[in-house]
Structures are given as structure tokens and as C-alpha cells.
Amino acid sequence: MKRPLAVSAVALVIGIIIAEKVPSFIHGLCAVILVCIAACLAWRRITCRSPFLLLALPFLVSGFLLHHYNSRAVSTRFLPWLGRKVVVEGSIHDEPVFSDGRITFTLSVDTVIENGVATPIRKGKIRVRVYSDNPLDELRYGRMVQISAEVEIPAGQRNIGGFDYRRYLAARGISGVCSINPLQLKVLEGNRGFFLKSAGYAVRKGILDALYKTMSRQEASVAAGMLIGYTDEMPESLEEAFRKAGLSHIMAVSGANLAFLLLPFIWLLKRIGLNPRWASVISLPVMLIYVFATGMEASVIRAAIMAGIMLLGMIIWRQTDFFCSISASAMLILLSNTFMLFDTGFILSYSASISLVVFYKPIFDRLPAKIPKVIRDTLAGTLSAQLGVIPVIAGTFNTFSVVSILANLAVVPITGVLTTLTAILAVLWFVFQPVCHALGLAASFIIGVILGVTRTISSLPWAELDIATPGFLLTAGYYLILLAIRYGIPWMERRVQDLRPSAADKPGNAVREMEQGYDGKGKPEENKSEKSRRKRFGWLVPCILAFYGVMILLDMVPSGKLEIYFADVGQGDCSIIRTPSGKSIIVDGGGSVYDDESSYTGEMIVVPVLYDLKITRIDVMVATHGHADHIKGLKSVIDSMRVKRLVVADADDSEMNELTDYARSRGIPVERADQDDIVYSEDGLMLTAIYPLDDKTRIPSGRTASANELSLVIRLDYAGFSAVFTGDIGSPAENLILGQEALDCDLIKVPHHGSKYSSGAEFVRQASPAIAVISVGKNRYGHPDGEVKKRYMSAGARIYETLHHGGIMVSVDPRKPGQVSVRTVIKE
């Protein structure tokens, strides 16, 4: 087997995955040992085995041990000072960024001081946010600073399939976060910046100055994104247009950018008389400065390592191999930080690069020769890269760009020209600025064309599809099918090759060629044995495709269980019900009073959770009352997927008008419900309203009435199980529904986040739930109240809080009567 380095890289990845997925060190170590034994047995059966393949085993063990150590370090490095006021000293690790009234930078920590005792910290970094109306010029890369703050450990994954902020920061070497004001910050004497990194930041500042002083802000933001991957000042609407058109990749610095810059630079060095070896030597530090200027994202680090290997090969007169180069780059990155394996940029970069190399030539060769080469090249490149990243994009962003090929055909051929042009502009800005304005006009024209094409294509109503998160089996099956189509069935290909005569056996004339299995033109002709073998194995690929289709259909079949998921939306409510027949109901959607046109909670938490639960349509949307922490996120759901109807309380809740008007403007019918109304029903399942009461004279009304006391309270019944969803009702509304049989339940969503003004003693006694779920986040209201929790525990309820448990999944299987399964994202 060739390329043992590639096998070692795969082994390293497997070791890291085992450490990530198996929390127990002992169990994980046993899994590693079993994999090693299986690998040794497989190695003995390989005909052309190489002893170098055994080098993969140490990398397997190294990946496991390294990631186990790193995971522990990230969780415990600042644990001794959690929630305590300390003084932290260190140096600024990157260039501070000022945006939206805050300055963000990474602090490389030297010491943590508490009560006069200084504790040295090794390899510890903190993400610092300084809330300030103005940027602080004294904060620069390398400067020594002292801060007084409470260091917190970043939050991990809090919902099913949710964003893991701790792992995201860990991939950047960060294991703590803190927020301060300028008075808590002191700049010290000294500077510890690395000179090449300082040069890189200086180059980036110069490039940005050149672009923003020779073009409009919008055009400059596009040029900056394409040249150095800087998109901080790009309008969100423009980023969305690039995403919908499938052109986001042109804003990420990758191997193409390095090629556009390095190849002309090396050519220029050769033209002035340097040989290839010296041209490569000079190019290495130039490339490093460029890498630092781009911000050192995963894609550019990968491309830089591969380019460095290529340049090193030129220096020592050795030819490089793509798979060995990309394997070496992955191993170097992962050995330095194992968390990079789970970074989206890392995954996309390597998936696209490998797919491009594997599929580009077969696709290019199969395109009609009459098509112009530039179009064939763009088509082959786009298709081959897309094949590798479709599951990654679907799983991460839950979108698929239908118009990607069309957009890339129109835009990609001119991106190389634009990148080279803006690079020349940036270089000349340092030496001869007058000519830069003319170059800026030329670049602006090209960018205008790109923006016109992007906006036109992305505005098509079917430009982008929203899709549910694919499962592991579907993703694995997809890649297996790709490999089967690309390389065929391995054992079939090997046996077919054995049937073909070697070059040494080729006879010299056409007659003898025919006798030896050639067609008279020097090309091998399939003999009967080969045709028979191809016929025998030819059905395998269609069978694999059919099996994959069946898997997709089975994945769409409802489980037959009732599932209730209480999403962790911070200080707010969001309950998602998946009925046994596969229908989807959402009760509230979280949000914040600070949400305006869009909701962070809705876009970044609720909608992704729905996709991760395989939900792409809402059959019933229930909004209990009009407070922002319950309904703002629902607007994002309406924007993202089809909603068949909205149900609200039949009460005088004026704060609900914003949502109902928005729903009607989108063509969604709005229904009002009160006591005994059926909100939804299917075979064996009923969702019924308990409150507001039919008698409207008994419920609060008028402008002074609190929306909390007008909350829609609903009860769910299925297979002997019952659940009550209470919104934010307080004691006045609770007293109105006392005595109703519908109050007695197995599960209750605790009213008003566990407020002390709700969940009265009699209410809890009559409800007598076995499970009490409190949807709550960090707050200044004292939720949940300790006495309220004691009441539920005294009534025999197990209490689950989203603040401590993250998302909470409750499952009811009709085949197991009386059993209710509860799983939490954060394990106790």
C-alpha cells in the first residue's frame, strides 16, 4: 500500500474521534487497543504490505492521548478561579477588533493573581471583551496588559446538534472568556510580539488602507475578503447573497489565493536571474507574512503548509505528492491542536481540497470537448469541490445552493484576475500610490460585475434550499457511494487489472496484438473473462445506490414515539413536540427585548435545533403570550420554514399583535383558543386548551393586565401520558384553573421560569407532576426560586432546568406503557 503518511493521518484522526466520543479514559483506551489489534490483523492480510504502515499505530494512540489531555485542559485550566475576581497578566495574542461598542482580543496569559498569590499559567488563552464606545489605540498585538475580571469557562454544546462554543474557542487555543470595561484594563510596559506576525498585521493594515482608499466601502469589503479573507466590514446582506449563490468560498483564503500570489512572485524572481531554489527560499518568509496577514484561518494554514512542502521540494530538488502533502499538513495542524479536527473551516477546506483532486479529472474528461476549456475547467472544479462538501454544508448550515454551478461559472473565471489585480494595487500602495487609484477603478468594475451576477442569481426564489441535518449513516453512505463510483469496487478493479497484459508483453504487430487481447490499435480489449467479471460485479453500485435510497426513506419514516424537546434558549421558553405520526408543533420560540428585525435566539438556536430534529415544516405554531422571550424567535421560524397555522390565546393581549400581523402578512392563518378548544389532534393524541377561560369576565383585561396572566395554557394527552404547558401564568391565573381535572399531569412546564410569583402550593399539589421542567437562563430576577423548586420536589417531581441540563428530550413509547424517557444534552 502506498502513502503510509496518509494512513497515519487517518489513524491520528480516528484516535482524536475516539477521545471525543468516548468520555471515559479507560473505555476509550480499550477502544484504541481494539482498533490497533484489528489494524494489525488487517495488515497481515495485505499482500503488498509495507512496514511503514505500522507507523500509523503510534499516531492512533497519540491522537487519543493528546485530545484527552487537551479536552481536560480546556475544561480545567481556569477552573480554580471560576466566578472569582482575579487579576490576569499576559500579552495580546492577536490584533484587537473594535465592533458594535466592544473591543475583542485574545490574551495569552502569563499569571493569574488572587489575593496577592501569583499562579503561572502554561499555554492558557482568554477571549477578552472590553465594552467601550471607542477603540483603544494602545491595545495592539504583542502589548503586555493587566486585567481585573471574573474568568469563565466557555459554554459547551447546550442543545441537540447545537453550536459548541467551548470547542470552537478550543480550536483557537482559548479556554477562558471574560468581559470588562476600560477601567478594569491596564496596559503595561513591554511587547512580546513575533516579528513576522507583527509584519503580517502591518501588511494587512496597509492592504486595507489601500483598498478602502481606492474603492467604495462595499467594493473594498469584497476585495478584502477575496485577497486576505477579511470580511468584518462586509454588509450582512452581501454575505447572505454570496452564501445563497454558493460563492462564500471566494471569501475564504485558500490554496487558490496562494497560487495567484506565489506563482507570479516566483516567476518574477526567476526573471530577475534567481534560480528556482533561491526563488523558493525567498518565497517562504513572504508566504508566512501573508498567512499572518490573513488571520491564520484553517484553510490558509492548510494551503500554506502544502505550499511550504512544495517550496521545500523545489529547494531540495524533490517532487511532492498531493496526498502526502495534504496528510502532512493535517497532521501538523492536529498535533498542534487536536480540536482543529472539529473546526468547520478545517473540515470544509480539507473536504473541498481532497474532493477537487479526486474528482476533477474524471469530470473534466467526461465534459464534451466542444465546450470551451475555461468553462469545462470551472464546471469540473465547481462540481468536484461541491461533491466533497455537500454533507458538511448541509449538516452545518442546513442549506444547499441550487444555483452554485451557474454562479461559479459566471464569477470564478474572473476571481483570479481580481485577486492578482488587488494584490498589485496593495504592493504599489507602499511604493507609488498615484497609480493605485486607476487600478482601484479597474478592480471596482470587476467587483461590480461580480456583485451584479451574485445579487441577480441569489435573488431567485429557488436559489437556496433549507434542508434538515443529515444523520451519520446518510453522510457515511454518501461518501461511500462517491468512492464506489470514482474507484469502482476495489477487488473488481484489481482482478481486472490482473487480466490485462503488461506493457512488456505487448507484441509488435497488429495481428499478434489481437491475439494477445489488443484491438489492433494498441489499446487493450476486454476478453471474455473480464467481461464476465464486470457483468458479475456491475450490479453492486446500483445496489449500493438502492440501499442508500432506502436509508433515506427510512430516515423520513416517523418513529411512532411522542417526543417533547425543551430547547435551551436562555431566559425564555421554547418547546418542540414531534407527534407519533411525524407532525411538528412548536410552543413559543424564545427571544429577547433587544431583538429588532431579526432574533439571535431564533436564527442561531431555535431554527438550527428544528433542523437538527429533522423538522422542516411546522404544522402548528403556538404562541402562549406576547412577551419577547416567548415570541421573538418565532418570527425567525416563520422566515425559515413553512408554518401551516398559528394558535394564540383568545384574550386581550395587545403585545401579541406584532406576531399575528407578521404571520398574516406571510399568509399564515391565525386561530384563537380558550378553555376546552382542541388545538391539535391525531389518532390517540390530543392537544387541548385549559386557559384562558370561556368566561372572559373572570380573566384580566385592559391595558393594565399583564400578558403573563393571559398566557395560553395547553394540555397534551397520549397513551396514558399527559403534559401541561403553562406559559408565564402567575398565581392569579393559577387560582382560576384550580379544580380542573386537566391540571393533573405527568409532566409540567413550570410557569414563568420558576418565578416565586407562580407555582403556588395548591397549584403544585393538584398538578402533582412526576417531571417538572424549568426553562430558564442566567437572569437578574431570581428565577428559579428555591421555594418553588422545593414545592415540586415535595410533590414527588424530578426537576430539570435548561440552565443546568441544556436541552431536555422527553420520549414516550406506546409500546412501553408507563415509561417516560428523559435525556439531557448536558450530563450530570
Side-chain angles (χ1 to χ4, degrees):
M1 183 180 288
K2 298 180 180 180
R3 302 187 179 99
L5 198 62
V7 179
S8 298
V10 172
L12 180 65
V13 168
I14 293 173
I16 295 171
I17 292 174
I18 291 174
E20 177 70 18
K21 298 300 181 181
V22 184
S24 168
F25 178 79
I26 300 298
H27 292 163
L29 190 59
C30 291
V32 169
I33 292 172
L34 289 176
V35 173
C36 289
I37 294 172
C40 290
L41 293 175
W43 178 78
R44 289 173 59 86
R45 297 180 63 86
I46 297 174
T47 307
C48 302
R49 58 178 178 266
S50 167
F52 290 105
L53 289 177
L54 294 178
L55 290 174
L57 299 183
F59 283 105
L60 173 70
V61 177
S62 298
F64 171 77
L65 295 177
L66 271 174
H67 191 66
H68 183 81
Y69 169 79
N70 290 341
S71 299
R72 184 175 178 82
V74 165
S75 303
T76 61
R77 183 169 282 128
F78 295 105
L79 189 61
W81 303 280
L82 184 63
R84 287 147 61 177
K85 200 82 169 182
V86 294
V87 175
V88 182
E89 292 183 355
S91 60
I92 299 178
H93 182 74
D94 52 16
E95 194 70 12
V97 176
F98 175 74
S99 177
D100 297 329
R102 65 187 181 192
I103 305 163
T104 305
F105 63 88
T106 303
L107 181 66
S108 184
V109 179
D110 292 335
T111 57
V112 175
I113 305 171
E114 183 183 30
N115 299 325
V117 179
T119 304
I121 300 295
R122 183 174 176 268
K123 294 184 178 180
K125 295 187 182 73
I126 294 175
R127 173 66 58 87
V128 181
R129 288 177 177 172
V130 185
Y131 288 90
S132 172
D133 295 331
N134 302 296
L136 302 177
D137 294 334
E138 62 270 25
L139 293 180
R140 294 189 300 275
Y141 163 68
R143 292 298 301 267
M144 300 294 297
V145 296
Q146 181 187 85
I147 62 172
S148 177
E150 290 184 8
V151 180
E152 298 180 353
I153 297 172
Q157 181 180 337
R158 301 194 62 84
N159 281 295
I160 290 177
F163 179 64
D164 193 329
Y165 187 51
R166 183 183 304 170
R167 195 160 65 182
Y168 168 82
L169 290 181
R172 287 143 186 82
I174 300 169
S175 49
V177 294
C178 70
S179 299
I180 59 174
N181 61 56
L183 297 178
Q184 297 172 274
L185 172 70
K186 180 181 179 182
V187 179
L188 306 176
E189 295 294 328
N191 189 307
R192 287 222 311 260
F194 178 48
F195 77 98
L196 279 179
K197 194 172 182 180
S198 297
Y201 285 130
V203 168
R204 178 166 72 173
K205 185 177 183 303
I207 290 173
L208 294 176
D209 285 344
L211 297 177
Y212 279 91
K213 289 180 180 178
T214 56
M215 290 180 264
S216 68
R217 293 193 65 82
Q218 180 174 263
E219 292 162 348
S221 69
V222 175
M226 295 182 64
L227 185 59
I228 57 173
Y230 181 83
T231 58
D232 290 358
E233 298 184 41
M234 182 179 290
E236 288 186 12
S237 59
L238 194 53
E239 286 191 83
E240 184 179 1
F242 277 115
R243 191 199 72 240
K244 286 185 175 181
L247 292 171
S248 296
H249 64 92
I250 69 174
M251 295 295 139
V253 179
S254 61
N257 300 70
L258 281 175
F260 290 143
L261 300 175
L262 275 183
L263 294 180
F265 182 71
I266 293 174
W267 175 84
L268 182 62
L269 292 177
K270 291 179 181 179
R271 294 291 294 178
I272 63 176
L274 293 177
N275 62 35
R277 176 176 291 182
W278 281 107
S280 301
V281 171
I282 295 173
S283 298
L284 275 172
V286 173
M287 181 185 69
L288 285 176
I289 291 174
Y290 175 73
V291 169
F292 286 126
T294 62
M296 298 184 66
E297 289 297 325
S299 59
V300 72
I301 293 176
R302 187 266 310 159
I305 293 175
M306 294 182 65
I309 293 172
M310 180 195 73
L311 293 174
L312 186 61
M314 294 173 66
I315 293 172
I316 63 176
W317 304 108
R318 291 289 187 273
Q319 188 175 0
T320 57
D321 174 78
F322 169 80
F323 288 104
C324 289
S325 299
I326 199 168
S327 300
S329 67
M331 292 173 72
L332 287 173
I333 292 173
L334 294 177
L335 288 172
S336 64
N337 186 344
T338 55
F339 279 102
M340 284 298 294
L341 179 63
F342 309 102
D343 181 75
T344 302
F346 178 93
I347 298 170
L348 284 172
S349 176
Y350 279 87
S351 299
S353 299
I354 294 172
S355 182
L356 191 64
V357 170
V358 170
F359 294 104
Y360 171 82
K361 191 177 185 302
I363 294 175
F364 183 86
D365 291 342
R366 282 163 177 75
L367 292 174
K370 63 178 71 174
I371 299 176
K373 185 177 183 301
V374 65
I375 296 179
R376 280 196 295 158
D377 186 69
T378 305
L379 265 175
T382 302
L383 284 172
S384 56
Q386 287 284 337
L387 285 173
V389 300
I390 284 174
V392 181
I393 293 175
T396 306
F397 306 107
N398 298 109
T399 60
F400 175 72
S401 177
V402 178
V403 297
S404 174
I405 295 175
L406 178 62
N408 278 270
L409 274 174
V411 170
V412 167
I414 58 177
T415 56
V417 177
L418 180 59
T419 302
T420 305
L421 183 62
T422 52
I424 294 172
L425 186 156
V427 172
L428 291 178
W429 182 259
F430 292 98
V431 294
F432 189 64
Q433 294 187 4
V435 76
C436 293
H437 293 281
L439 293 174
L441 289 174
S444 296
F445 174 78
I446 298 174
I447 293 172
V449 173
I450 292 174
L451 292 180
V453 171
T454 301
R455 285 175 172 148
T456 300
I457 293 178
S458 65
S459 63
L460 296 173
W462 41 268
E464 186 180 52
L465 298 178
D466 295 321
I467 54 181
T469 305
F472 171 77
L473 290 178
L474 291 182
T475 302
Y478 172 84
Y479 283 118
L480 287 174
I481 288 172
L482 280 186
L483 292 175
I485 293 173
R486 171 63 181 88
Y487 294 108
I489 308 303
W491 59 86
M492 180 183 75
E493 290 297 318
R494 184 165 58 250
R495 295 300 297 271
V496 168
Q497 291 291 337
D498 293 341
L499 292 170
R500 295 179 180 176
S502 65
D505 295 331
K506 287 185 182 180
N509 57 68
V511 175
R512 293 180 63 190
E513 283 180 356
M514 293 293 290
E515 294 174 353
Q516 291 289 335
Y518 281 75
D519 63 1
K521 298 179 182 179
K523 296 181 180 180
E525 183 183 69
E526 285 187 336
N527 55 36
K528 291 183 179 180
S529 298
E530 183 176 349
K531 289 180 179 179
S532 174
R533 199 172 299 277
R534 284 190 178 277
K535 185 177 180 180
R536 191 189 314 166
F537 291 109
W539 55 268
L540 283 177
V541 171
C543 283
I544 293 174
L545 291 172
F547 179 73
Y548 188 66
V550 171
M551 286 175 58
I552 294 175
L553 292 176
L554 289 176
D555 192 56
M556 298 169 62
V557 174
S559 65
K561 300 178 183 179
L562 169 67
E563 294 180 330
I564 307 172
Y565 182 71
F566 297 92
D568 179 10
V569 292
Q571 183 65 13
D573 269 17
C574 178
S575 306
I576 301 166
I577 303 170
R578 192 70 181 264
T579 72
S581 67
K583 302 298 183 182
S584 302
I585 303 168
I586 184 170
V587 183
D588 291 335
S592 167
V593 294
Y594 301 106
D595 293 340
D596 189 14
E597 294 296 325
S598 60
S599 167
Y600 175 87
T601 302
E603 292 180 0
M604 304 304 292
I605 300 177
V606 179
V607 172
V609 163
L610 289 170
Y611 286 136
D612 288 327
L613 293 173
K614 308 293 189 297
I615 294 174
T616 56
R617 182 186 68 183
I618 299 297
D619 295 283
V620 183
M621 174 180 283
V622 178
T624 58
H625 64 291
H627 282 172
D629 60 332
H630 289 250
I631 68 167
K632 287 288 188 178
L634 292 178
K635 293 174 67 177
S636 300
V637 177
I638 292 173
D639 290 338
S640 302
M641 59 186 65
R642 182 189 173 200
V643 177
K644 296 182 72 172
R645 60 191 178 102
L646 170 65
V647 179
V648 300
D650 186 7
D652 187 18
D653 184 358
S654 59
E655 295 179 73
M656 185 66 76
N657 293 339
E658 178 186 356
L659 180 64
T660 54
D661 291 344
Y662 191 76
R664 290 191 182 101
S665 70
R666 297 302 182 96
I668 301 171
V670 178
E671 303 174 7
R672 294 185 177 275
D674 59 16
Q675 187 178 9
D676 296 332
D677 284 344
I678 297 175
V679 176
Y680 174 81
S681 67
E682 65 178 53
D683 186 24
L685 183 144
M686 186 83 72
L687 194 64
T688 312
I690 298 177
Y691 181 86
L693 303 177
D694 279 334
D695 185 357
K696 298 299 184 287
T697 61
R698 296 178 59 194
I699 64 175
S701 61
R703 294 186 176 182
T704 58
S706 169
N708 290 338
E709 306 304 330
L710 303 176
S711 293
L712 177 62
V713 181
I714 55 179
R715 175 187 172 94
L716 184 151
D717 287 281
Y718 174 69
F721 169 83
S722 58
V724 173
F725 302 85
T726 58
D728 273 0
I729 60 171
S731 295
E734 290 176 358
N735 293 333
L736 293 176
I737 59 177
L738 290 177
Q740 290 192 32
E741 291 184 5
L743 186 57
D744 184 17
C745 60
D746 298 301
L747 181 152
I748 190 169
K749 200 287 299 178
V750 174
H752 201 182
H753 321 291
S755 167
K756 64 182 178 180
Y757 300 110
S758 62
S759 296
E762 185 60 22
F763 177 85
V764 174
R765 188 189 69 78
Q766 291 191 19
S768 63
I771 301 169
V773 176
I774 305 176
S775 184
V776 66
K778 291 183 179 180
N779 63 87
R780 63 177 186 274
Y781 310 111
H783 301 163
D785 181 66
E787 290 299 319
V788 167
K789 293 170 67 175
K790 287 181 181 178
R791 286 178 204 146
Y792 281 104
M793 287 188 288
S794 298
R798 287 177 292 156
I799 295 180
Y800 295 91
E801 301 177 41
T802 55
L803 178 61
H804 301 306
H805 296 97
I808 302 161
M809 175 65 80
V810 179
S811 302
V812 179
D813 191 338
R815 294 164 295 187
K816 300 176 181 178
Q819 293 186 27
V820 179
S821 169
V822 181
R823 294 181 289 114
T824 61
V825 174
I826 300 175
K827 308 301 179 185
E828 291 184 296

